Amino acid sequence: MTTTVIYDGENGNVLATIGEYEATRVRAETFEVLDGERVDRVDLSGETPKVVTSSTPASWQAELTAAIKRSDEKRANLEVKVLKILSEMQEGDEE
């Protein structure tokens, strides 16, 4: 069986193996991919190739973590505002 092996030309580390495939059609390029996203394919319809990705549980976790952080920050700001208002009300009652 013929196997195409994609490897690092400097140290020989194997990056991927695929079944029988025309090696002259294999391309490699670097793309920006968000943390936790899965690369589905490369869109070749435009002038330059663009990576097409989809969300994974890891990316959902990252989004949830960011949302919780934003919520915590908003709650903390709200608590400060409420305490400030209560303090001002108490000062007004003492006068």
Side-chain angles (χ1 to χ4, degrees), residues 12-25:
N13 288 342
V14 174
L15 305 174
T17 61
I18 52 178
E20 192 169 334
Y21 200 83
E22 178 58 47
T24 59
R25 293 176 48 190

Side-chain angles (χ1 to χ4, degrees), residues 76-89:
N77 288 337
L78 183 58
E79 288 174 359
V80 168
K81 288 178 183 178
V82 168
L83 290 173
K84 183 177 178 183
I85 291 170
L86 289 173
S87 176
E88 289 172 357
M89 288 175 61

